[in-house]
Amino acid sequence: MRKHINLLARGIDYTKKEVFFARFRKITLIFGLLFAVSITVLFILTEKSKSDYQNLLALKQEYISDSLGRKDRELKIAYINKKASFVKSAIENDMNMLPYFKIIETNLFPTVDATAGASINAIAFNGARNIKLTLTAKSEAEFNSILRALEDAAFLDHFEQLTLEQTSISNTMQTNYQLIINGVFRKITETPAL
Amino acid sequence: MKKNLNVYTMRLIKDHLIYIIFFLVTVLMSVYFIPLYVKNLRELRQRQENVNLEISKMKKRKQTVLSFSPAQIDYMLQTLNRLVPETEDYFSLFNSLEVLERKTGFIITSYRAALTESKKDRLTLTINGEGSLDSVLNFLRVYRLGGGRLITIDKIDFLPARSKVSLTINFYAKKIKVESDQFGEIDPALVRFIEKSAANGQTQVQVPIDSTYATSDNPFQ
């Protein structure tokens, strides 16, 4: 078998292969260089991180040893924190009744005080903002002035609902008018004073 | 023809064998080592972050502890244990009602324990008394801490015409358990709250705060 290379006929292919391998050489070198640089950078970063981590562990150990002498005070502070939080939460959950009572004081008591025979017989109030008022009057005029005070828009504005549960007129010794009102106050978000 | 070309290609491959091996080794090493280093680095950073977090907590803890003198800590402890004792202390309970009477003008005529409404940490009392609208308002202003015990109100029945008042109130007693590794930050608002509570609940004993205690801006000194 005779071997021959037809360089003239296949010159283009050879050149292509030469170019390919020349490029491959360059790419290999660049790739190798990039790999070396990357590995070096990663190695340096890892070593630095390891050393930083060791330093942090030493610092943590220092703090731990340092805190051993203050264990008793630390426990007391943890106790204070828990108990104070308990007190705060009890106060926050307690309904602040003062502003609601002030609404009654401001809106109804002046009317009642201004009339000789009218009085607020009972105020029953609970944590669900429910109020029950029992009012009495000895004359129709007093009864009407109480009704006017109850129907005042500024007063009604404080309630989610206000209903007249019962009204009665009794004539035993003298005429007595009685009103029983049930209501639910609108929530007042006022921070309770300590 | 094909064979001739192969010979030439083989020659080129042979000439570049070292590059080919180098390329393959580099690729294999890149595939193995780079992700490994990146993973290690990430893990280290994560661990560092965790330790940093622990250190900053410990630093804060140290600052908190050093910002209070032992006398201040004991004072806060005493104040809170007065407001909410570990177990129900009836003497302080009645004393706080007396203090509230004196402070508000509301006179307590009777009381009874509402055992059905009481809970583990809470004793519910129904108190009956006499007082004007002003004394009721005064009571509502100061009852929470003003008697030296923490009090909350569930219900109030006021008969203004007869100056009679009935109140359903709660007293609290709570045992707090603290684990040895537990630590709570005390924020300045909480300290102010305790101080205010102490001032409001002050009845007879004036517990001094050690104002001569040396404080430092740098907790590490």
Side-chain angles (χ1 to χ4, degrees):
Chain A
M1 188 180 282
R2 198 158 54 96
K3 288 182 181 176
H4 64 91
I5 299 168
N6 189 350
L7 292 173
L8 290 173
R10 300 291 170 201
I12 296 165
D13 286 346
Y14 301 147
T15 316
K16 271 185 187 171
K17 280 175 185 158
E18 286 282 358
V19 168
F20 170 77
F21 275 98
R23 278 183 186 161
F24 176 71
R25 279 199 309 268
K26 274 185 197 165
I27 287 168
T28 304
L29 286 172
I30 291 167
F31 187 64
L33 199 70
L34 280 176
F35 171 73
V37 169
S38 307
I39 283 291
T40 312
V41 168
L42 284 170
F43 177 77
I44 291 167
L45 285 175
T46 307
E47 287 307 305
K48 194 181 173 304
S49 283
K50 271 184 190 167
S51 136
D52 288 349
Y53 180 60
Q54 289 305 321
N55 290 340
L56 284 173
L57 284 180
L59 187 63
K60 182 185 162 184
Q61 192 52 48
E62 213 174 283
Y63 271 106
I64 290 171
S65 335
D66 185 44
S67 76
L68 286 175
R70 298 188 305 267
K71 205 76 207 158
D72 185 46
R73 277 164 80 181
E74 285 191 3
L75 283 174
K76 278 182 180 174
I77 286 182
Y79 181 94
I80 289 168
N81 183 58
K82 271 191 154 186
K83 201 148 215 179
S85 303
F86 174 79
V87 173
K88 266 190 105 174
S89 104
I91 289 175
E92 278 160 11
N93 292 330
D94 179 41
M95 205 186 81
N96 185 17
M97 293 190 176
L98 185 65
Y100 301 99
F101 256 79
K102 278 189 169 171
I103 291 167
I104 303 296
E105 184 210 10
T106 321
N107 293 276
L108 293 185
F109 274 85
T111 311
V112 170
D113 290 345
T115 50
S119 68
I120 299 175
N121 273 9
I123 302 170
F125 189 47
N126 66 22
R129 288 180 277 123
N130 295 322
I131 188 157
K132 185 175 183 175
L133 289 163
T134 310
L135 301 117
T136 54
K138 291 200 178 344
S139 70
E140 197 180 333
E142 286 170 356
F143 181 71
N144 286 337
S145 69
I146 288 175
L147 276 178
R148 264 197 301 277
L150 285 170
E151 286 171 358
D152 184 74
F155 181 65
L156 289 175
D157 204 36
H158 295 294
F159 293 88
E160 277 177 12
Q161 86 183 51
L162 191 68
T163 51
L164 179 65
E165 187 187 297
Q166 190 189 315
T167 173
S168 59
I169 305 165
S170 64
N171 279 306
T172 44
M173 300 280 281
Q174 69 178 109
T175 311
N176 266 318
Y177 296 83
Q178 191 182 55
L179 273 174
I180 298 178
I181 309 285
N182 272 323
V184 181
F185 273 110
R186 281 187 201 286
K187 196 171 183 177
I188 299 173
T189 48
E190 189 180 294
T191 318
L194 291 176
Chain B
M1 178 76 76
K2 202 174 182 181
K3 200 171 179 184
N4 289 340
L5 282 175
N6 281 343
V7 170
Y8 186 71
T9 308
M10 287 304 286
R11 177 70 187 266
L12 280 172
I13 290 170
K14 201 178 159 191
D15 285 350
H16 290 85
L17 196 62
I18 188 81
Y19 289 99
I20 292 166
I21 291 169
F22 181 72
F23 182 79
L24 289 174
V25 169
T26 313
V27 167
L28 286 174
M29 282 171 76
S30 303
V31 167
Y32 180 74
F33 283 110
I34 291 179
L36 187 76
Y37 267 109
V38 170
K39 187 175 165 254
N40 283 347
L41 204 59
R42 270 192 190 156
E43 278 175 7
L44 270 169
R45 292 261 160 95
Q46 188 57 50
R47 270 189 253 163
Q48 269 183 42
E49 219 168 89
N50 292 342
V51 177
N52 257 328
L53 218 71
E54 284 175 50
I55 288 173
S56 66
K57 268 188 193 169
M58 285 193 271
K59 214 187 252 185
K60 225 174 169 186
R61 201 163 156 156
K62 187 176 179 177
Q63 278 173 334
T64 307
V65 172
L66 293 178
S67 63
F68 299 106
S69 71
Q72 275 177 311
I73 291 173
D74 288 342
Y75 175 62
M76 287 195 280
L77 209 66
Q78 200 180 335
T79 303
L80 287 167
N81 279 337
R82 188 159 41 82
L83 292 172
V84 181
E86 296 237 312
T87 51
E88 193 47 83
D89 166 20
Y90 293 97
F91 175 76
S92 73
L93 184 149
F94 296 128
N95 183 55
S96 73
L97 290 175
E98 273 178 34
V99 172
L100 285 174
E101 274 186 299
R102 283 202 302 274
K103 280 187 176 178
T104 62
F106 167 70
I107 299 153
I108 296 167
T109 52
S110 67
Y111 38 77
R112 67 177 175 83
L115 294 175
T116 48
E117 288 170 54
S118 300
K119 286 181 183 171
K120 191 186 160 206
D121 301 328
R122 196 184 78 181
L123 175 70
T124 305
L125 284 186
T126 303
I127 56 172
N128 296 308
E130 287 171 6
S132 61
L133 175 67
D134 283 342
S135 66
V136 170
L137 290 175
N138 282 341
F139 188 88
L140 291 180
R141 236 171 242 126
V142 299
Y143 70 93
R144 283 191 185 84
L145 305 166
R149 283 287 304 268
L150 171 66
I151 296 174
T152 59
I153 295 184
D154 281 347
K155 208 165 68 180
I156 180 165
D157 290 311
F158 179 39
L159 311 176
R162 289 157 59 200
S163 297
K164 300 270 184 198
V165 188
S166 172
L167 291 158
T168 305
I169 60 172
N170 304 306
F171 283 90
Y172 296 84
K174 190 171 172 66
K175 205 174 181 79
I176 301 276
K177 278 184 188 165
V178 182
E179 305 296 329
S180 60
D181 59 339
Q182 232 173 9
F183 188 80
E185 298 304 331
I186 297 192
D187 65 282
L190 205 57
V191 177
R192 278 198 298 277
F193 166 77
I194 297 168
E195 281 168 355
K196 209 168 174 184
S197 312
N200 275 328
Q202 208 59 259
T203 51
Q204 295 133 356
V205 191
Q206 197 76 29
V207 187
I209 292 184
D210 183 10
S211 56
T212 56
Y213 177 74
T215 55
S216 168
D217 290 335
N218 183 354
F220 303 102
Q221 277 179 351

